[in-house]
């Protein structure tokens, strides 16, 4: 949303310097899954709220399992 903090610069920095995990909601459940690169992020589909996140069938490492 336009009144929310824009996090793109933070995300770009994290991808370059650390392992980065992003939320993946499937119904009411949320996992924190690995983001591999900036290209990986830009290729993610958007939800109906225009939030990029992995698709429901996109299996990725979960932060709690690593």
């Amino acid at each position: 949303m336009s009144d929310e903090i824009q996090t793109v610069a933070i995300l770009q920095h994290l991808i370059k310097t650390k392992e980065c995990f992003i939320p993946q909601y499937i119904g009411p459940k949320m996992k924190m899954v690995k983001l591999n690169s900036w290209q990986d992020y830009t290729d993610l589909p958007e939800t109906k709220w225009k939030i990029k996140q992995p698709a429901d069938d996109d299996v990725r490492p979960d932060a709690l399992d690593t």
Side-chain angles (χ1 to χ4, degrees):
M1 305 298 288
S2 62
D3 62 338
E4 293 181 319
I5 295 172
Q6 299 302 305
T7 59
V8 170
I10 296 167
L11 186 58
Q12 287 174 324
H13 176 74
L14 285 172
I15 289 169
K16 291 178 187 175
T17 60
K18 305 203 179 283
E19 280 192 307
C20 185
F21 293 82
I22 59 172
Q24 179 187 37
Y25 287 92
I26 300 175
K29 294 186 178 186
M30 181 185 80
K31 297 190 307 185
M32 294 300 291
V33 297
K34 188 168 184 181
L35 185 62
N36 298 306
S37 67
W38 182 249
Q39 185 66 49
D40 185 21
Y41 174 75
T42 61
D43 291 344
L44 290 174
E46 289 185 342
T47 67
K48 64 181 176 182
W49 297 283
K50 303 291 184 195
I51 298 170
K52 288 183 164 287
Q53 77 164 24
D56 291 356
D57 62 349
D58 186 346
V59 179
R60 296 170 178 251
D62 187 323
L64 296 179
D65 295 335
T66 62

